[in-house]
Amino acid sequence: MANSTRTASQEPVTKDELPEDAHLLENESNSAVYLEYRTCGDETCSCMSGGEKHGPYKYRAYRDGDTVRREYLGKAEADDDQP
């Protein structure tokens, strides 16, 4: 009889584990693909003082043991579902 208990690395990534402003595109069994707008860190850029953020950028979130990691997939394409 197969064991139906899932380990932490098999649990899906939930919306609650993504950045607050993430726009979810896909949620697969072991990862989630989402869009996110980001600040650049340049103190002279308007994004750091409440202006428009850069992006959207596409990421894939996945589990590595008990940790949710993310992988940068590049700047979103025009055919991606924009938030």
Side-chain angles (χ1 to χ4, degrees), residues 44-56:
T44 64
C45 184
S46 64
C47 74
M48 297 297 289
S49 58
E52 189 174 318
K53 294 181 180 180
H54 303 280

Side-chain angles (χ1 to χ4, degrees), residues 32-51:
V33 177
Y34 64 95
L35 298 180
E36 182 181 12
Y37 286 84
R38 308 273 320 239
T39 56
C40 65
D42 179 353
E43 294 299 325
T44 64
C45 184
S46 64
C47 74
M48 297 297 289
S49 58

Side-chain angles (χ1 to χ4, degrees), residues 21-70:
D21 61 347
H23 177 70
L24 189 61
L25 297 178
E26 304 172 19
N27 200 356
E28 301 171 356
S29 62
N30 61 350
S31 67
V33 177
Y34 64 95
L35 298 180
E36 182 181 12
Y37 286 84
R38 308 273 320 239
T39 56
C40 65
D42 179 353
E43 294 299 325
T44 64
C45 184
S46 64
C47 74
M48 297 297 289
S49 58
E52 189 174 318
K53 294 181 180 180
H54 303 280
Y57 300 105
K58 190 186 277 190
Y59 293 90
R60 180 178 71 92
Y62 62 95
R63 289 201 184 280
D64 182 10
D66 291 335
T67 304
V68 175
R69 301 204 184 274
R70 67 186 201 166

Side-chain angles (χ1 to χ4, degrees), residues 4-22:
S4 63
T5 304
R6 297 175 96 173
T7 64
S9 63
Q10 295 172 322
E11 290 294 320
V13 176
T14 66
K15 176 81 170 143
D16 292 339
E17 295 173 297
L18 299 178
E20 186 175 305
D21 61 347

